[in-house]
Amino acid sequence: MKGQVLLPAQTPLFSTYHYQVIAGVAAQANPTYLNWYYNHCIQLQCGKVFLRGCPTPHLNVIGTDTGAMDFLEKIPYNLLFVREDVHRLIKRMLDKDFYAAFCGIDDYYIPGKSWYGRRHFDHDGLICGYDDEKGTYALMAYDEKWMLHLFHIPQKAFEAGMESMIQDYYIMGEVTAVKARDTVLSLEIPQIKEQLTEYLSSDLQTDPIEKSQAPEGTVVHTYLGMYLDLLYTGEIPYEKADYRIFRLLWEHKNCMYQRIAAVEGTLVLGTELHSAYSQVLDDAGRIRTIYAKYCMRRKDDLLLYVKSGLKDIQRREREILSRLIEKIEREGF
């Protein structure tokens, strides 16, 4: 319909952070996009600044952003130079089946967005459609209840959020056209084996506290345990606890579960290992729920259950992935 576009917008494999949503929603237009996640998105990563008072461990899964995904076409525009033409620009992107990813827009002015009317916040999101008759954009983002879904906002509100950041804070945001190319992405068994081996090789000897680099691999579970310790002792204030981290940990385990199933299916190895890993995934879901309860209402003993479950997940995952690597090597990879 003229004056109306709505591109597909399904919750992607990784969706804890908006930058993962932007990449994942756009990626789904490529029928083989899941192989990107299986081949590349293995390494957990975190920061260490929480050991020095920062309230978040900056948990991340490497490879889940648009910058990493080389099969995504990305064309950025600085809002300072296109502000007078921003609506026509966004609609031209959508008309050509490009999503419009944005950053540097003030949530305070965006009805339904996470900080609407409460806090001036330089934030991002993904525009998936527009309706000129209603004067709205279809936005994929976290809402005021911290739920991710597609909702509609006034086009004028987007403009107000842009102008707030430029005029009041001199923050120059961007609108980036994002579209998946039709590149065929194959499951790369040797690369997966190499990444898994690297993932399992990390511990406090390879990544000690004194090391300046951000830890990567399975040792991140150990650092998350340290983060829980600091919450438990109050060295990190309860009200500043990062509520997102165990959602992302669950998403990492969900991707790992699917990765193991894909490898077993490709090499005709049966279902033993991904069936065994389903318990790891279930336990990750359980501690995610317990931690969410802690974030809603402080009860410090819940952190002990989360930390115990985290240790079990790390131990069982190591056992299963070690066996997977052995099976892959026996197949000649």
Side-chain angles (χ1 to χ4, degrees):
M1 184 183 298
K2 189 175 181 180
Q4 186 181 70
V5 170
L6 183 60
L7 301 181
Q10 300 297 321
T11 300
L13 199 58
F14 288 91
S15 59
T16 298
Y17 307 128
H18 275 159
Y19 71 80
Q20 296 173 325
V21 174
I22 290 167
V25 170
Q28 291 177 56
N30 183 312
T32 60
Y33 79 99
L34 282 174
N35 286 330
W36 170 271
Y37 289 106
Y38 301 157
N39 294 337
H40 297 277
C41 304
I42 293 174
Q43 302 303 329
L44 279 171
Q45 183 187 60
C46 72
K48 294 180 182 176
V49 288
F50 74 88
L51 296 169
R52 301 187 295 275
C54 181
T56 174
H58 294 294
L59 188 65
N60 181 36
V61 177
I62 294 174
T64 55
D65 60 291
T66 55
M69 296 184 182
D70 55 14
F71 68 97
L72 293 181
E73 186 175 357
K74 302 168 283 283
I75 309 171
Y77 296 84
N78 189 297
L79 288 173
L80 179 64
F81 303 110
V82 300
R83 60 199 288 197
E84 294 85 0
D85 194 40
V86 68
H87 296 301
R88 281 183 289 179
L89 175 65
I90 290 171
K91 292 168 192 177
R92 284 198 297 269
M93 291 176 182
L94 294 163
D95 287 340
K96 294 185 179 297
D97 294 330
F98 281 82
Y99 293 86
F102 64 83
C103 64
I105 302 297
D106 192 346
D107 269 5
Y108 188 89
Y109 295 97
I110 311 297
K113 201 131 186 290
S114 46
W115 295 108
Y116 173 61
R118 292 187 292 156
R119 176 186 172 190
H120 292 283
F121 188 63
D122 165 17
H123 213 175
D124 53 1
L126 186 69
I127 297 175
C128 304
Y130 70 90
D131 187 326
D132 278 342
E133 183 177 341
K134 296 179 179 178
T136 58
Y137 288 130
L139 179 65
M140 188 74 162
Y142 278 93
D143 67 11
E144 294 171 281
K145 296 181 179 179
W146 301 105
M147 300 294 291
L148 176 69
H149 65 106
L150 189 73
F151 57 97
H152 301 275
I153 65 167
Q155 294 174 13
K156 289 183 178 180
F158 180 89
E159 184 177 341
M162 174 187 70
E163 292 296 338
S164 170
M165 286 290 105
I166 294 174
Q167 293 183 19
D168 300 337
Y169 300 95
Y170 205 63
I171 291 174
M172 309 310 162
E174 288 187 347
V175 171
T176 301
V178 184
K179 184 178 182 180
R181 298 187 179 95
D182 58 2
T183 308
V184 176
L185 304 169
S186 301
L187 193 70
E188 302 290 347
I189 303 294
Q191 180 172 329
I192 291 172
K193 188 195 81 169
E194 181 181 346
Q195 288 271 328
L196 290 174
T197 301
E198 181 180 345
Y199 176 76
L200 294 180
S201 68
S202 65
D203 54 31
L204 286 179
Q205 280 67 52
T206 62
D207 281 287
I209 292 174
E210 298 78 17
K211 190 176 179 181
S212 60
Q213 288 90 340
E216 295 180 11
T218 188
V219 71
V220 170
H221 298 90
T222 305
Y223 278 97
L224 286 180
M226 296 179 194
Y227 179 77
L228 295 173
D229 289 340
L230 294 177
L231 281 175
Y232 187 80
T233 61
E235 294 176 68
I236 294 177
Y238 164 76
E239 59 273 11
K240 293 186 177 181
D242 190 336
Y243 61 89
R244 304 166 296 178
I245 52 178
F246 284 95
R247 175 185 177 130
L248 182 53
L249 189 76
W250 178 85
E251 289 177 343
H252 179 264
K253 304 316 171 195
N254 182 44
C255 184
M256 189 70 78
Y257 171 77
Q258 294 186 36
R259 177 182 296 112
I260 295 169
V263 171
E264 286 187 317
T266 300
L267 299 182
V268 196
L269 299 176
T271 62
E272 175 196 2
L273 295 183
H274 85 260
S275 295
Y277 197 87
S278 66
Q279 185 60 54
V280 174
L281 180 59
D282 289 346
D283 287 349
R286 180 176 59 84
I287 66 171
R288 170 188 172 183
T289 300
I290 295 172
Y291 184 73
K293 290 179 179 178
Y294 165 80
C295 290
M296 289 187 289
R297 183 179 179 183
R298 183 172 184 175
K299 189 176 180 182
D300 290 339
D301 286 352
L302 292 177
L303 296 175
L304 302 178
Y305 291 105
V306 175
K307 185 175 180 181
S308 176
L310 187 63
K311 287 182 176 179
D312 286 343
I313 286 170
Q314 184 180 20
R315 175 183 55 80
R316 285 203 302 272
E317 181 182 70
R318 180 181 289 278
E319 293 172 354
I320 294 168
L321 295 183
S322 295
R323 289 161 57 195
L324 179 61
I325 291 169
E326 290 173 0
K327 283 194 170 188
I328 292 173
E329 289 177 340
R330 284 201 295 268
E331 294 296 316
F333 291 95

